[in-house]
Amino acid sequence: MKELTTWKELRTEFGTKNLIDGFTGAFALVLLPLLLTIAAIIEFITVFLYLLTLSVFLIIIALFVSVFVLFHLWRRSLMLMNEEVTLDFKKLFLKPLLIFGIVVLILGLIFIFFLIPILFV
Amino acid sequence: MNELLRYYKKIILALILPIVAFAFLLIARIPFAVYAPGGISEVEDLIEINYNEDKEITGTISTTYIMSIQRPTYFQFILGTFSPYSSITVLSSGYANYTNEEISQISYLDHVTSIDASIIIAYQKAAETNSNIHIDYDVKILVFGKAVYLDHYDEISFGDEFIQMVGDGDTIVTTIDDISTYTTLSDAYDFTFYNSEKGQYTVTLSKDEEYDKFGITLKTYYLVDDSTIYPTYTENSSNIGGPSGGLLQTLAIYNHLIDEDLTKGLKIAGTGTIQYDGSVGYIGGVEQKVITAYLNKVDLFFMPSLDPDYASDNYQVALQVCEEYGIEAEGWLIPVSTFDEAVAYLEGLDVS
């Protein structure tokens, strides 16, 4: 409930347009390196298939780091728009970051233990 | 967004060139082939025989696949040079004119026809002792290769069935051997095929002036007649291509059809194509397959051995690989030249 209030305050402080603009900028900066990293890991898998589990963990880490950087850049973007902002929204971003990390980890583990044995028939 | 771009302008400018260079390494392809260790795949997951369902099979029989990267990117090429188990060669001349998609189609054709060959050999062998088992097959001529100068290149697909051609003197030709006999008087002839949807089509193919050939490679295959086979089987889809799983597929199918359990609790793998007479054929990527089997801790590994005096004999090469990587080949690497030899080896194996 407290978080919802903070999100509302954030929207009041910056406006929906600026929030979306900040997120888009952060997303654009993160996307290209992320895609290149994932492409590189996939090509790594084709040569080092016997290190497949390690490679899946590398993808999980890459996704987690990318989302961390995404939220960091989003926050930076908002701070740059209004340097005198008093609202502490650093912690606000922590929860979605953790949720995303857990979801990615679960999906990765499902991939390792269930999908890999099915795919490599 | 603009604030962010302005704030990180220097970093972004500094990273543009490395990112473009890295993207180039990941995208641009070069005419080489990288072979890397792959994995093993249980035949039971690929082919389910609807028979002897209660039979307990204590071990496993698996085919071995490797990663065969035709036209790798620069990045894959660089990775290949760093991998202790990979080998890099110039792209085979046989594949040089094919796109990667076409190479996949050839590989798929090799794979599905090898399954039919395995079914036929295994069922025939099992039928020797079990009269309930029955198999019939059709002999078909399929398109296996296309040269760049082939007319109607895009209309003719790999795996299309050759029906007939109208040769000299309007002779109807239906066999591969007769094609050259009845195509001496003219440069162009009508060929009729079935495509994968069983649609019939006829194209006029002319001989290339330089090679004096039509530019099409046809090959005879034995394909299982699903309408009369007993017991029936289910073939699951697979991401693995090529014919080199033939021997192990045949062993696994045969093991399912008989009462005894040939696996004796062992993790069995191997490689080798299977011919219609039950003989085993050579395969490529011996080094990577031996390493794959070793990394997957298999108990036995079958390897084609047709001529001990031939320097490139698969078994001789595999022995060298074992020596190079410190793998104990004795009792682990098993040379075979026929399916019967492999069966006899497993029957005579004492695991107590």
Side-chain angles (χ1 to χ4, degrees), chain B residues 209-255:
Chain B
E209 285 181 7
E210 186 182 345
Y211 298 100
D212 194 32
K213 288 179 178 174
F214 294 104
I216 191 164
T217 309
L218 301 171
K219 202 169 164 184
T220 303
Y221 291 96
Y222 295 180
L223 303 180
V224 173
D225 182 350
D226 292 326
S227 63
T228 59
I229 191 171
Y230 181 82
T232 57
Y233 68 98
T234 310
E235 189 179 327
N236 298 320
S237 62
S238 168
N239 295 315
I240 300 162
S244 64
L247 170 65
L248 276 293
Q249 288 163 191
T250 314
L251 272 176
I253 296 163
Y254 178 68
N255 188 48

Side-chain angles (χ1 to χ4, degrees), chain B residues 31-337:
Chain B
F32 285 86
V34 176
Y35 299 99
I40 61 171
S41 174
E42 279 188 41
V43 180
E44 292 268 314
D45 295 334
L46 176 68
I47 308 161
E48 293 171 40
I49 309 292
N50 306 316
Y51 190 68
N52 261 348
E53 271 98 351
D54 298 333
K55 177 180 172 181
E56 189 191 357
I57 297 173
T58 53
T60 58
I61 299 178
S62 305
T63 57
T64 312
Y65 62 88
I66 62 168
M67 300 302 285
S68 168
I69 309 162
Q70 310 292 328
R71 290 192 190 85
T73 63
Y74 278 101
F75 188 65
Q76 286 171 316
F77 182 88
I78 293 165
L79 287 175
T81 60
F82 282 108
S83 165
Y85 302 136
S86 296
S87 64
I88 299 173
T89 61
V90 175
L91 188 64
S92 147
S93 57
Y95 282 161
N97 293 320
Y98 291 132
T99 63
N100 278 13
E101 191 188 342
E102 287 174 325
I103 293 171
S104 297
Q105 288 168 359
I106 296 168
S107 184
Y108 174 76
L109 178 64
D110 273 336
H111 181 66
V112 292
T113 50
S114 85
I115 291 175
D116 277 50
S118 296
I119 297 268
I120 292 166
I121 302 297
Y123 273 59
Q124 283 178 337
K125 172 89 174 164
E128 290 172 8
T129 52
N130 183 346
S131 58
N132 290 329
I133 294 170
H134 178 81
I135 184 155
D136 292 317
Y137 55 84
D138 301 316
V139 180
K140 293 191 174 178
I141 299 169
L142 307 182
V143 176
F144 182 71
K146 299 190 289 182
V148 281
Y149 53 84
L150 171 68
D151 294 335
H152 304 280
Y153 190 96
D154 292 331
E155 288 173 55
I156 302 169
S157 300
F158 296 101
D160 281 0
E161 184 186 347
F162 169 74
I163 306 297
Q164 64 172 53
M165 65 152 299
V166 184
D168 297 330
D170 289 337
T171 311
I172 301 299
V173 176
T174 55
T175 63
I176 296 174
D177 292 341
D178 285 345
I179 292 176
S180 56
T181 311
Y182 291 97
T183 55
T184 56
L185 302 177
S186 176
D187 288 332
Y189 295 88
D190 287 344
F191 285 70
T192 304
F193 300 93
Y194 275 137
N195 60 27
S196 56
E197 283 87 38
K198 276 289 170 194
Q200 187 175 311
Y201 66 96
T202 300
V203 286
T204 303
L205 302 182
S206 54
K207 286 185 184 176
D208 181 74
E209 285 181 7
E210 186 182 345
Y211 298 100
D212 194 32
K213 288 179 178 174
F214 294 104
I216 191 164
T217 309
L218 301 171
K219 202 169 164 184
T220 303
Y221 291 96
Y222 295 180
L223 303 180
V224 173
D225 182 350
D226 292 326
S227 63
T228 59
I229 191 171
Y230 181 82
T232 57
Y233 68 98
T234 310
E235 189 179 327
N236 298 320
S237 62
S238 168
N239 295 315
I240 300 162
S244 64
L247 170 65
L248 276 293
Q249 288 163 191
T250 314
L251 272 176
I253 296 163
Y254 178 68
N255 188 48
H256 207 100
L257 293 171
I258 59 174
D259 293 332
E260 317 86 86
D261 177 18
L262 290 177
T263 66
K264 298 175 181 172
L266 298 173
K267 189 176 180 181
I268 298 165
T271 184
T273 62
I274 191 80
Q275 314 298 319
Y276 298 114
D277 61 358
S279 62
V280 174
Y282 282 141
I283 51 94
V286 172
E287 180 182 355
Q288 283 70 37
K289 283 180 178 164
V290 169
I291 292 163
T292 299
Y294 180 68
L295 291 173
N296 282 278
K297 299 181 174 63
V298 306
D299 297 313
L300 281 181
F301 193 70
F302 286 111
M303 180 62 72
S305 176
L306 309 182
D307 181 1
D309 297 326
Y310 176 42
S312 297
D313 179 75
N314 283 166
Y315 178 66
Q316 301 304 320
V317 175
L319 282 176
Q320 289 167 18
V321 173
C322 286
E323 198 178 325
E324 189 180 334
Y325 290 95
I327 301 168
E328 179 58 55
E330 183 70 34
W332 181 78
L333 188 68
I334 314 300
V336 283
S337 59

